[in-house]
Amino acid sequence: MILSVSRRTDVPNYYSDWFMNRVKEGFLYVRNPMNAHQISRIDLSPEIVDCIVFWTKNPANLMKHLECLKDYAYYFQFTLTGYGKDIEPNLPNKREELISTFQTLSEQIGKEKVIWRYDPILISRRYTMDYHLKAFEEIACSLADYTEKVVISFIDFYAKIQRNMGELGIRQMTTDEMIRMAAQLVQIASKYHLVVESCAEQIDLSNVGVQHGSCIDKSLIEKLIGCKLIGGKDKNQREACGCLESVEVGAYNTCLNGCKYCYADFNDEKVKANIQLYNPNSPLLCGNITSEDKITDRKIKSLKDNQLYLKGI
């Protein structure tokens, strides 16, 4: 099993104590977002968890617990953009804090385990193409020795965020604009020996040097654990997503980053209500078990292929 921690909320930033308590106890609960009274019990034993993928914009709170994860393989998807407080209102200053946090994390666990995400890319009167190119190069220069890859994507106008997009003057990019920007980002990244991959993009950018990537990356995980995996594509993600199947542990409407482009936080009042329910000692993130809830053990297993292979086959 690959554990996704988490596409739905920034667990390392806000709920690291909860997650580490779950690791110590060996299990956690996840409420089904499509069926509120269906709760799955997830086994967190190292024999079952092949790799943990952390998604975050600020891992500082989790970094003090990394020694407790010594029995697990893991890596980080670390989003670091050039946006200001109008887009990412609750994040620390990038130059003063987050870049150094990225560098420190990389020094602690290895640069192959810290993936830089410059996404989503959006265009507005303030955030022009030139703005992005300058911000991207500044960050790339700072991270050149601390990562091997940068993941990009372009903003999707989900119905849940359309109002935010309109209020901020964000517009749809044309296909030509996406291709031109991707080409220039590749030119910049190559100066710093960084590979550029895309995340869940329908558009083919291979002609300008951007390959379709996988955030939950089978090849990377196999490299980290020294073993082949037999899992397939994650059927719960978008068609263009190339991620390996995983188990998601987060909850919608629980992230305090407040990013205006986020599809996982779509109701500010629900976010406020949910965080009031946060208990770091609860098996369930930001919620209580009720008499109507049904808890079942999710049938999960390791994806490791322990079959022996002859050399060259």
Side-chain angles (χ1 to χ4, degrees):
M1 171 185 66
I2 311 302
L3 208 63
S4 171
V5 187
S6 150
R7 286 184 175 95
R8 298 173 184 166
T9 190
D10 196 333
V11 170
N13 196 358
Y14 300 108
Y15 304 115
S16 58
D17 289 340
W18 171 80
F19 182 72
M20 295 313 304
N21 285 337
R22 302 326 313 145
V23 168
K24 291 174 185 176
E25 292 200 37
F27 74 96
L28 57 77
Y29 291 163
V30 179
R31 191 180 295 279
N32 185 341
M34 307 304 293
N35 184 342
H37 294 302
Q38 185 181 79
I39 294 175
S40 296
R41 184 185 188 277
I42 309 298
D43 186 346
L44 297 181
S45 62
E47 294 75 25
I48 298 293
V49 179
D50 301 309
C51 187
I52 304 171
V53 181
F54 292 109
W55 315 69
T56 187
K57 292 183 171 73
N58 184 7
N61 290 328
L62 185 62
M63 287 165 63
K64 59 189 176 185
H65 297 296
L66 293 180
E67 177 60 28
C68 299
L69 295 174
K70 63 182 183 299
D71 294 330
Y72 297 87
Y74 60 86
Y75 65 93
F76 284 78
Q77 294 275 344
F78 192 143
T79 300
L80 189 50
T81 70
Y83 299 124
K85 295 285 187 181
D86 56 332
I87 303 292
E88 297 172 339
N90 298 327
L91 295 182
N93 185 278
K94 313 294 175 63
R95 291 189 180 98
E96 296 175 3
E97 187 167 337
L98 288 181
I99 286 177
S100 63
T101 298
F102 191 111
Q103 294 169 339
T104 300
L105 177 62
S106 175
E107 290 172 340
Q108 290 181 356
I109 68 174
K111 65 180 182 179
E112 74 280 3
K113 296 182 182 179
V114 191
I115 311 300
W116 171 31
R117 299 182 67 92
Y118 188 90
D119 80 314
I121 297 170
L122 54 85
I123 294 293
S124 70
R125 290 181 297 274
R126 177 178 180 182
Y127 299 107
T128 63
M129 187 177 294
D130 284 343
Y131 181 101
H132 280 292
L133 296 176
K134 291 176 182 177
F136 184 86
E137 176 141 26
E138 180 179 342
I139 300 171
C141 180
S142 298
L143 302 185
D145 295 328
Y146 301 93
T147 190
E148 298 176 341
K149 179 168 64 178
V150 55
V151 175
I152 65 170
S153 71
F154 299 98
I155 187 73
D156 288 312
F157 278 65
Y158 296 107
K160 297 170 183 177
I161 63 169
Q162 291 238 8
R163 189 180 74 175
N164 288 343
M165 300 298 97
E167 291 175 350
L168 292 165
I170 296 165
R171 63 170 178 81
Q172 292 273 14
M173 295 180 69
T174 67
T175 298
D176 286 345
E177 285 177 325
M178 292 180 190
I179 293 172
R180 283 193 290 113
M181 176 171 282
Q184 292 181 77
L185 294 178
V186 168
Q187 288 181 353
I188 294 169
S190 65
K191 290 168 53 178
Y192 302 101
H193 309 290
L194 300 176
V195 173
V196 183
E197 293 182 352
S198 65
C199 172
E201 286 294 335
Q202 295 282 356
I203 186 173
D204 183 2
L205 299 170
S206 59
N207 286 340
V208 296
V210 180
Q211 300 299 320
H212 290 293
S214 304
C215 301
I216 297 187
D217 188 335
K218 183 178 179 181
S219 297
L220 175 58
I221 296 170
E222 289 177 338
K223 178 182 176 182
L224 294 179
I225 66 176
C227 179
K228 289 183 177 294
L229 297 172
I230 56 176
K233 182 183 183 301
D234 194 331
K235 298 177 182 178
N236 296 316
Q237 302 303 321
R238 292 169 287 173
E239 183 180 348
C241 177
C243 285
L244 180 66
E245 62 188 79
S246 64
V247 174
E248 170 62 47
V249 308
Y252 291 115
N253 288 311
T254 58
C255 186
L256 296 171
N257 287 333
C259 302
K260 300 301 182 182
Y261 51 72
C262 182
Y263 66 88
D265 274 4
F266 46 86
N267 187 312
D268 291 343
E269 294 305 313
K270 284 187 178 180
V271 173
K272 293 176 184 178
N274 285 337
I275 61 175
Q276 293 300 315
L277 300 175
Y278 173 57
N279 176 356
N281 297 310
S282 170
L284 189 67
L285 178 62
C286 294
N288 297 315
I289 308 298
T290 72
S291 59
E292 299 177 67
D293 292 333
K294 181 180 180 181
I295 302 173
T296 58
D297 285 325
R298 181 161 175 174
K299 295 180 180 179
I300 49 179
K301 61 182 180 179
S302 170
L303 300 179
K304 292 179 180 178
D305 184 355
N306 293 314
Q307 181 175 343
L308 293 176
Y309 292 87
L310 296 177
K311 189 174 182 181
I313 294 181

